[in-house]
């Protein structure tokens, strides 16, 4: 019997109407019901009040000492109160809006009540009351599961129904984890873990059950990912690039600097991938300024030497132009012909570029979305690189991959992704990390100041401008209060224009057209504008080495990752640079964020702490994060389990007899059922 195919109506007490309501909760099958786990438990175990915490839920038993009094107020609202003798302690018990209890409560009666404990007033606000000793026995000492519900479903009904489902179908729950793994980590068996996650006899038992289910979930997820990846690799024929390593070395030796150790390692990893007949699918992570562009240039050169064309895709036109310039400097002396393809080319220019690409007259094309939106035909596309890939949707990435035979793909990102997220969200890719900055790069001095010292911040900007440097002033723009924020930015812009004159100040905001934005950005890059006030972080992804000051206004309204990105915009010229965070945070996390920023400039550390502060869901911001929806596991809390599960999954699936081992047949069946579903979707 396969519980995944058994409709939930098979459970006694679940009719058509209930089934519809359960469907609202995502429950269609018996398996869905059995794995609809509680998000917390109500604790009905008797406690000793002398050691209970203030505001904690407590359950106590005692005798009523006084005649309960009832008070009515506001028409329908009521409050009953009485004294209860709990182990010699006279506790005030209060029942709100439970007037029906008045007639049941009698002096001298034995009661068990559960509710919130007020330690200072020796008072319990009761929400559950148990009268008969049978009822008391049944509840006392239990942890009651609490489920998220909606519509007509009630928690008590759900509890009962899940219990019923276990009675009917518990023995059909099949173990999926190999015995050796279960024994190695002393994991509960599946049926027991599922049952005890709903109905634990102790906190400890509940957490052991949770651990088992979290392991299973992460293990199966990793297995699925690896299986899918192996299959695509077998199906897709990649290009085995052939190039002269000596020539690549020459290019590297001709650079005005020598590569950092991390860059050398990453180059090796990428070139090895390119030589291999498998399609490369690699994520390159490196903090802002760690030197990813030169890596792209080297890969594009090797690709050129093997007779292929390459494409570099970036999010904005100005970035495309900057990258084109940097690549030209490195590649043109070696005979590589470059082209630019953006949305603002004239029809004639575009047609020309397109035909150059089709005929193989251009070797490398740098472009924006235009590269994937148009019917670009390549003579022979061998390598695709995207920069700041998180700004391209997952679908767009896939579409780009389809062009050409099966070009190698390299995604570059300056957003450090904590490892636990990297191996879940990007588990289908290999990951390279540049974890070292070029020598001589000074960390940006970072200060957190309160808004009342703003005049001094302005003085500081003025001083830097006198020294011929440039500055960014970022004002947050957050949707709900867009208007207000715009006024803010406008006001800051006007104030600075006045107080900094004759220094030229520019304003960049989200309401401007792309062309207007590019124009302002261009003027800033050309030092035609010295101070740039911007409401948006998107457009500042540009290299202006002369900018040495980054001021972020209301900095507590930005996430850590964003602040780190912003800070990375300055200090790119090699000299000293300063980041000033102006903020009066009102929350603990706000203060914590400011503190973290002043404590470290390590992008990975910041990302990890951001993840801990915000949780995985918010880390990427949008839903397109690709983060799987785990039922039990939590990629932050269960990071260790995830690592272990991944290692185990790799070991199993790469063992030569994986498909022969009889005891692994539940896993085989699981993977085959995924194959039947067709394309496994991870997005
Ligand atoms: P990012 O990783 O943010 O894209 P870039 O590729 O723009 O960084 O590099 C930032 C700056 O550092 C560029 O001016 C680049 O020429 C320089 N750079 C890159 N690698 C090195 C190195 N190994 N030594 C010194 N400077 C380097
Ligand atoms: Mg870059």
């Amino acid at each position: 019997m396969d519980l995944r195919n058994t409709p939930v109506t098979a459970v006694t007490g679940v009719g058509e109407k209930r089934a519809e309501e359960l469907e609202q909760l995502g429950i269609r099958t018996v398996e869905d019901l059995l794995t609809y786990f509680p998000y917390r438990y109500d604790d009905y175990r008797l406690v000793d009040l002398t050691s209970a915490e203030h505001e904690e839920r407590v359950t106590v038993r005692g005798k009523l000492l006084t005649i309960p009094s009832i008070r009515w107020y506001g028409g329908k609202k009521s409050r009953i109160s009485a004294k209860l003798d709990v182990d010699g302690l006279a506790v005030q018990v209060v029942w709100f809006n439970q007037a029906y209890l008045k007639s049941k409560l009698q002096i001298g009666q034995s009661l068990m009540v559960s509710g919130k404990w007020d330690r200072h007033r020796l008072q319990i606000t009761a929400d559950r009351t148990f009268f008969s000793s049978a009822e008391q026995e049944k509840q006392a000492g239990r942890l009651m599961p609490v489920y998220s519900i909606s519509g007509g479903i009630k928690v008590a009904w759900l509890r009962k129904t899940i219990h019923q489902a276990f009675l009917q179908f518990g023995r059909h729950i099949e173990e999926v984890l190999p015995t050796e793994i279960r024994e190695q980590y002393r994991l509960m068996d599946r049926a027991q873990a599922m049952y005890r996650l709903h109905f634990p006899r102790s906190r400890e038992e509940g957490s052991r059950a949770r651990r088992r289910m979290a392991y299973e979930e992460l293990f199966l997820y990793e297995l699925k990912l690896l299986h899918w990846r192996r299959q695509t690799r077998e199906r897709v024929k990649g290009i085995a690039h052939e190039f002269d390593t000596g020539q690549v070395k020459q290019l590297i030796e001709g650079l005005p600097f020598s590569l950092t150790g991390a860059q050398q390692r990453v180059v090796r990893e990428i070139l090895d991938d390119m030589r291999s007949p498998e399609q490369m699918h690699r994520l390159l992570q490196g903090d802002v300024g760690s030197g990813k562009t030169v890596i792209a240039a080297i890969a594009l050169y090797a690709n050129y030497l093997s007779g292929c064309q390459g494409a570099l895709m970036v999010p904005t036109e100005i970035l495309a132009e900057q990258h084109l310039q940097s690549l030209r400097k490195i590649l043109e002396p070696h005979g590589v012909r470059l082209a630019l393809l953006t949305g603002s080319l004239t029809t004639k220019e575009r047609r020309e570029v397109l035909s150059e690409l089709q005929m193989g007259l251009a070797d490398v094309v740098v472009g924006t979305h235009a590269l994937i939106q148009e019917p670009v035909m390549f003579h022979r596309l061998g390598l695709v690189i995207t920069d700041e890939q998180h700004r391209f949707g997952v679908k767009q990435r896939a579409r780009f991959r389809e062009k050409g035979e099966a070009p190698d793909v390299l995604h570059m990102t300056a957003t450090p992704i904590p490892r636990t997220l990297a191996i879940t969200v990007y588990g289908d890719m290999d990951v390279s990390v540049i974890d070292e900055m070029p020598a001589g790069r000074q960390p940006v001095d970072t200060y957190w100041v309160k808004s009342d010292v703003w005049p001094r911040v302005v003085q500081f900007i003025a001083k830097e401008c006198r020294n011929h440097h440039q500055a960014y002033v970022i004002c947050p723009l957050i949707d709900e209060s867009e208007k207000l924020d715009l006024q803010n930015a406008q006001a800051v812009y006007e104030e600075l224009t006045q107080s900094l004159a004759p220094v030229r100040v520019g304003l960049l905001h989200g309401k401007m057209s792309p062309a207007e934005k590019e124009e302002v950005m261009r003027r800033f890059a050309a030092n035609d504008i010295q101070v740039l006030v911007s409401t948006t972080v998107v457009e500042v992804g540009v290299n202006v080495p002369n900018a040495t000051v980054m001021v972020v206004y209301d900095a507590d309204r930005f996430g850590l990752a964003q602040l780190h990105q912003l800070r990375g915009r300055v200090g790119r010229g090699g000299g000293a640079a300063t980041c000033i965070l102006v903020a009066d945070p009102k929350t603990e996390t706000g203060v914590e964020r400011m503190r973290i920023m002043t404590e470290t400039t390590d992008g990975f550390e910041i990302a990890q702490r951001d993840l801990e502060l915000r949780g995985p869901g918010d880390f990427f911001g949008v839903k397109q994060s690709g983060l799987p929806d785990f039922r039990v596991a939590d990629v932050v809390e269960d990071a260790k389990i995830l690592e272990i599960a991944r290692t185990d999954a790799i070991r199993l699936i790469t063992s030569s007899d994986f498909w022969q081992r009889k005891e692994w047949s539940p896993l085989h069946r699981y993977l085959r059922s995924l194959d039947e579903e067709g394309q496994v979707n991870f997005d």
Side-chain angles (χ1 to χ4, degrees):
M1 173 171 248
D2 187 352
L3 301 180
R4 273 172 304 190
N5 293 328
T6 311
V8 73
T9 44
V11 179
T12 309
V14 181
E16 287 304 326
K17 186 167 169 292
R18 285 299 189 195
E20 264 172 43
E21 288 171 342
L22 286 172
E23 179 140 13
Q24 298 297 307
L25 303 175
I27 301 171
R28 279 175 207 91
T29 66
V30 173
E31 173 92 7
D32 291 339
L33 184 64
L34 297 178
T35 54
Y36 194 79
F37 296 119
Y39 64 91
R40 69 176 172 88
Y41 306 96
D42 272 344
D43 197 338
Y44 289 108
R45 291 169 305 171
L46 296 176
V47 299
D48 176 4
L49 286 179
T50 52
S51 57
E53 298 282 331
H54 182 58
E55 306 223 304
E56 189 184 329
R57 165 177 284 279
V58 294
T59 303
V60 295
R61 221 189 311 219
K63 270 199 169 51
L64 266 193
L65 290 173
T66 58
I67 300 172
S69 66
I70 185 160
R71 242 183 43 218
W72 292 90
Y73 55 97
K76 279 200 183 130
K77 293 182 180 153
S78 70
R79 177 183 189 274
I80 301 177
S81 66
K83 283 237 165 23
L84 190 69
D85 171 12
V86 182
D87 300 327
L89 192 67
V91 175
Q92 176 88 1
V93 183
V94 179
W95 291 266
F96 283 104
N97 306 320
Q98 298 169 70
Y100 60 92
L101 290 178
K102 173 75 171 79
S103 59
K104 295 175 83 177
L105 295 166
Q106 270 148 36
I107 196 162
Q109 184 179 21
S110 158
L111 274 188
M112 189 169 97
V113 296
S114 187
K116 199 197 249 177
W117 173 229
D118 184 330
R119 207 189 146 98
H120 311 305
R121 294 166 148 169
L122 299 184
Q123 175 175 308
I124 294 173
T125 308
D127 53 19
R128 300 290 304 268
T129 312
F130 307 101
F131 293 93
S132 72
S133 56
E135 215 183 357
Q136 291 181 17
E137 281 320 308
K138 205 175 129 210
Q139 293 295 337
R142 284 184 61 183
L143 290 164
M144 298 292 275
V146 183
Y147 303 93
S148 67
I149 47 167
S150 71
I153 302 281
K154 293 271 185 301
V155 170
W157 180 85
L158 198 53
R159 265 182 211 144
K160 206 176 69 194
T161 307
I162 289 172
H163 198 262
Q164 173 63 28
F166 274 101
L167 288 178
Q168 279 176 264
F169 298 101
R171 69 208 145 85
H172 295 294
I173 295 172
E174 189 190 48
E175 181 55 74
V176 284
L177 293 181
T179 319
E180 49 175 88
I181 286 183
R182 271 201 304 127
E183 282 174 356
Q184 188 180 353
Y185 307 121
R186 289 198 230 128
L187 298 174
M188 278 185 194
D189 74 51
R190 186 161 202 264
Q192 194 195 1
M194 275 165 63
Y195 184 69
R196 289 305 173 191
L197 194 44
H198 288 283
F199 307 108
R201 285 168 296 192
S202 65
R203 291 256 168 214
E204 194 271 339
E205 188 177 52
S207 67
R208 275 203 301 133
R210 206 196 78 85
R211 191 165 65 98
R212 141 81 214 213
M213 295 312 290
Y215 177 92
E216 171 187 314
E217 199 166 34
L218 294 169
F219 173 78
L220 292 182
Y221 179 78
E222 291 296 333
L223 201 67
K224 170 168 93 167
L225 207 67
L226 294 162
H227 174 66
W228 177 75
R229 175 166 137 167
R230 281 163 80 88
Q231 279 196 326
T232 12
R233 296 218 163 163
E234 275 166 28
R235 205 174 52 233
V236 178
K237 266 266 143 290
I239 303 168
H241 290 279
E242 286 174 34
F243 49 86
D244 175 7
T245 316
Q247 275 179 279
V248 179
K249 270 213 183 92
Q250 259 176 23
L251 176 118
I252 295 174
E253 273 155 20
L255 292 170
F257 46 76
S258 46
L259 296 184
T260 62
Q263 282 173 320
Q264 287 173 29
R265 189 189 64 236
V266 166
V267 165
R268 259 198 312 276
E269 288 166 352
I270 293 171
L271 295 186
D272 283 348
D273 275 2
M274 290 179 66
R275 277 190 211 95
S276 122
E278 281 180 6
Q279 184 187 25
M280 169 164 78
H281 197 26
R282 188 172 281 278
L283 178 71
L284 172 58
Q285 293 189 57
D287 224 333
V288 268
S290 62
K292 294 184 293 295
T293 314
V294 66
I295 306 289
I298 295 165
L300 286 167
Y301 185 54
N303 178 61
Y304 159 80
L305 290 176
S306 85
C308 292
Q309 291 168 295
L312 173 64
M313 189 161 77
V314 299
T316 66
E317 299 211 346
I318 184 145
L319 270 177
E321 281 167 27
Q322 283 203 340
H323 270 99
L324 183 76
Q325 273 176 25
S326 328
L327 292 180
R328 273 214 167 111
K329 250 185 248 156
I330 305 173
L331 295 175
E332 259 177 6
H334 295 266
V336 182
R337 295 159 299 180
L338 293 101
L340 179 72
L341 189 69
T342 64
S344 60
L345 295 188
T346 64
T347 320
K348 182 163 163 284
E349 287 169 328
R350 179 162 39 231
R351 212 180 298 135
E352 222 159 86
V353 174
L354 290 177
S355 74
E356 277 176 21
L357 289 172
Q358 187 161 13
M359 292 190 287
L361 295 175
D363 305 306
V364 169
V365 61
V366 181
T368 52
H369 282 79
L371 263 180
I372 42 168
Q373 275 155 2
E374 295 186 33
V376 185
M377 304 288 278
F378 288 89
H379 180 63
R380 186 167 190 232
L381 183 61
L383 174 65
V384 173
I385 304 179
T386 70
D387 194 15
E388 296 314 332
Q389 59 131 11
H390 56 282
R391 300 211 36 224
F392 291 107
V394 180
K395 285 220 178 67
Q396 287 170 318
R397 253 152 62 196
R399 220 160 111 194
F400 210 45
R401 234 182 292 156
E402 285 160 16
K403 292 189 180 283
E405 298 156 73
D408 283 333
V409 180
L410 179 67
H411 300 294
M412 304 197 298
T413 178
T415 311
I417 303 161
R419 185 175 155 76
T420 51
L421 289 189
I423 64 181
T424 40
V425 180
Y426 300 114
D428 60 323
M429 292 191 232
D430 296 302
V431 178
S432 290
V433 179
I434 310 183
D435 49 6
E436 183 185 352
M437 284 288 176
R441 193 69 59 78
Q442 283 170 257
V444 178
D445 286 324
T446 305
Y447 303 95
W448 164 32
V449 300
K450 298 276 172 69
S451 59
D452 54 9
V453 300
W454 174 248
R456 280 178 51 204
V457 176
V458 177
Q459 280 170 21
F460 181 77
I461 298 173
K463 192 184 104 212
E464 285 294 307
C465 289
R466 278 198 298 278
N467 292 332
H468 310 290
H469 291 306
Q470 287 168 274
Y472 294 94
V473 179
I474 307 295
C475 303
L477 181 74
I478 297 182
D479 289 337
E480 305 99 78
S481 51
E482 212 170 306
K483 255 213 186 107
L484 199 93
D485 285 334
L486 202 53
Q487 283 166 7
N488 260 347
Q490 191 80 37
V492 169
Y493 164 72
E494 277 159 21
E495 183 198 340
L496 291 180
T497 306
Q498 281 209 342
S499 52
L500 293 177
V503 165
R504 273 191 298 274
V505 183
L507 176 65
L508 190 68
H509 61 76
K511 288 273 146 76
M512 293 162 71
S513 73
E516 286 171 325
K517 286 187 210 166
E518 298 256 344
E519 178 55 24
V520 174
M521 218 38 242
R522 212 163 265 132
R523 287 182 59 200
F524 184 64
N527 200 2
D528 188 24
I529 291 172
Q530 285 78 47
V531 176
L532 181 66
V533 178
S534 175
T535 58
T536 156
V537 294
V538 173
E539 280 75 16
V540 294
V542 168
N543 204 7
V544 183
N546 193 43
T548 54
V549 183
M550 169 62 67
V551 176
V552 186
Y553 205 81
D554 281 344
D556 54 322
R557 288 173 61 187
F558 289 98
L560 276 175
Q562 274 180 316
L563 289 175
H564 181 65
Q565 286 288 316
L566 287 171
R567 179 167 58 185
R569 292 293 131 212
V570 294
R572 297 169 77 88
T578 311
C579 174
I580 304 174
L581 306 170
V582 184
D584 308 309
K586 285 172 194 66
T587 62
E588 264 308 302
T589 20
V591 172
E592 184 64 16
R593 279 210 292 269
M594 295 307 106
R595 206 175 291 137
I596 292 170
M597 285 301 294
T598 56
E599 275 168 13
T600 179
T601 53
D602 178 335
F604 278 94
E605 192 184 331
I606 288 174
Q608 181 61 40
R609 295 181 59 178
D610 199 16
L611 179 63
E612 284 159 13
L613 279 182
R614 290 205 281 169
D618 284 339
F619 184 78
F620 288 100
V622 237
K623 249 280 174 226
Q624 66 133 298
S625 66
L627 204 65
D629 229 348
F630 292 125
R631 287 203 157 180
V632 182
D634 174 317
V635 292
V636 180
E637 232 173 87
D638 300 321
K640 279 221 181 72
I641 300 183
L642 174 61
E643 290 283 349
I644 294 168
R646 181 174 171 86
T647 314
D648 290 337
I650 292 173
R651 182 168 50 79
L652 247 65
I653 207 162
T654 53
S655 62
S656 54
D657 58 350
F658 176 74
W659 292 99
Q660 277 79 54
R661 294 275 287 271
K662 268 253 163 50
E663 68 267 33
W664 293 349
S665 56
L667 295 179
H668 303 154
R669 244 175 290 138
Y670 170 71
L671 292 176
R672 289 215 177 91
S673 73
L674 293 176
D675 292 345
E676 279 160 25
E677 281 168 25
Q679 178 71 29
V680 180
N681 192 0
F682 289 97
D683 297 335

